[in-house]
Amino acid sequence: DAGVTQSPTHLIKTRGQQVTLRCSPKSGHDTVSWYQQALGQGPQFIFQYYEEEERQRGNFPDRFSGHQFPNYSSELNVNALLLGDSALYLCASSSVIGAGQPNEKLFFGSGTQLSVL
Amino acid sequence: DAKTTQPPSMDCAEGRAANLPCNHSTISGNEYVYWYRQIHSQGPQYIIHGLKNNETNEMASLIITEDRKSSTLILPHATLRDTAVYYCIVSGGKLIFGQGTELSVKP
């Protein structure tokens, strides 16, 4: 049983460009959350997708957007990249536990390391 | 979401119990306490969670005080592979990570 898979593992972009990161959740999971982790910091919550809709969002600008597909996989898009967007981007999956209540027992992927030059 | 306070770093001798404290004095009645750890260059890993009762699984034990304002994660026999950053999170809907405790297990 594959866990959470993310692609690519590493990515280098320049300022102003756009980037798309991809995530496949663990089998049986229907909810995907995205986190940004700067060097030496804890992961910061970006947003969470369930039933192809953004359900919760952290304190990130509109340059950060996402999508969830019918097969539960997800994409994170970042437009107009800034140097400060350089970070490890983590995807986590979970399953809803009744009445749409998200399960906070998350399974994380190994992340995509994004470098913005 | 309630804020948590953890010591920035701790050491533990291999084979001994590691006791990691967490303060969450503003926790509300429906918020759970979650513990995750992150080994270098990997994504965080779920360890355990609880509401008000003590919990134990194959990885660790979680002791929550009666007033729920603090908790302790116990790794009963720490190994070198337990060296990681440990995050205590109080959650009512989404996980908000703090800075965590960097645990170093030494031979």
Side-chain angles (χ1 to χ4, degrees):
Chain A
D1 173 32
V4 178
T5 58
Q6 294 186 241
S7 63
T9 55
H10 296 81
L11 200 53
I12 300 174
K13 291 286 188 178
T14 57
R15 280 180 299 175
Q17 285 189 312
Q18 178 264 345
V19 68
T20 297
L21 310 181
R22 295 177 175 83
C23 172
S24 293
K26 181 178 170 62
S27 178
H29 285 181
D30 53 15
T31 302
V32 173
S33 301
W34 287 91
Y35 288 80
Q36 179 196 66
Q37 186 172 26
L39 191 63
Q41 304 295 315
Q44 300 297 306
F45 176 75
I46 303 175
F47 42 53
Q48 181 185 76
Y49 277 83
Y50 169 64
E51 292 186 327
E52 302 179 47
E53 291 188 12
E54 184 182 295
R55 298 292 177 168
Q56 299 190 77
R57 189 179 182 92
N59 188 26
F60 278 80
D62 292 345
R63 298 187 298 109
F64 290 78
S65 63
H67 189 77
Q68 185 179 34
F69 299 93
N71 67 352
Y72 309 120
S73 67
S74 177
E75 290 182 348
L76 165 65
N77 301 291
V78 186
N79 294 322
L81 284 167
L82 304 174
L83 296 180
D85 295 332
S86 295
L88 178 68
Y89 288 85
L90 294 160
C91 171
S93 73
S94 59
S95 55
V96 168
I97 50 172
Q101 178 64 34
N103 184 345
E104 291 147 347
K105 182 179 178 180
L106 304 183
F107 289 79
F108 282 82
S110 295
T112 294
Q113 184 65 54
L114 173 65
S115 298
V116 182
L117 306 179
Chain B
D1 295 303
K3 181 180 171 58
T4 62
T5 303
Q6 298 179 254
S9 64
M10 293 180 63
D11 290 340
C12 178
E14 188 178 21
R16 304 296 295 268
N19 296 286
L20 292 91
C22 179
N23 288 321
H24 32 78
S25 59
T26 60
I27 192 170
S28 61
N30 62 346
E31 291 181 316
Y32 284 77
V33 179
Y34 281 79
W35 283 83
Y36 281 75
R37 73 179 183 184
Q38 188 172 23
I39 296 169
H40 183 62
S41 300
Q42 297 182 22
Q45 177 190 24
Y46 166 85
I47 301 173
I48 199 167
H49 76 282
L51 184 62
K52 55 184 178 180
N53 297 321
N54 297 338
E55 303 287 345
T56 295
N57 63 20
E58 65 279 4
M59 290 182 68
S61 295
L62 173 61
I63 308 298
I64 303 174
T65 58
E66 191 169 345
D67 62 8
R68 303 210 321 124
K69 293 185 177 182
S70 65
S71 61
T72 300
L73 178 74
I74 301 172
L75 308 178
H77 305 287
T79 71
L80 299 179
R81 288 177 295 179
D82 291 323
T83 292
V85 178
Y86 287 76
Y87 296 98
C88 168
I89 305 165
V90 170
S91 180
K94 59 182 182 289
L95 291 180
I96 306 297
F97 287 78
Q99 295 290 87
T101 295
E102 187 167 4
L103 176 68
S104 296
V105 180
K106 301 181 183 297

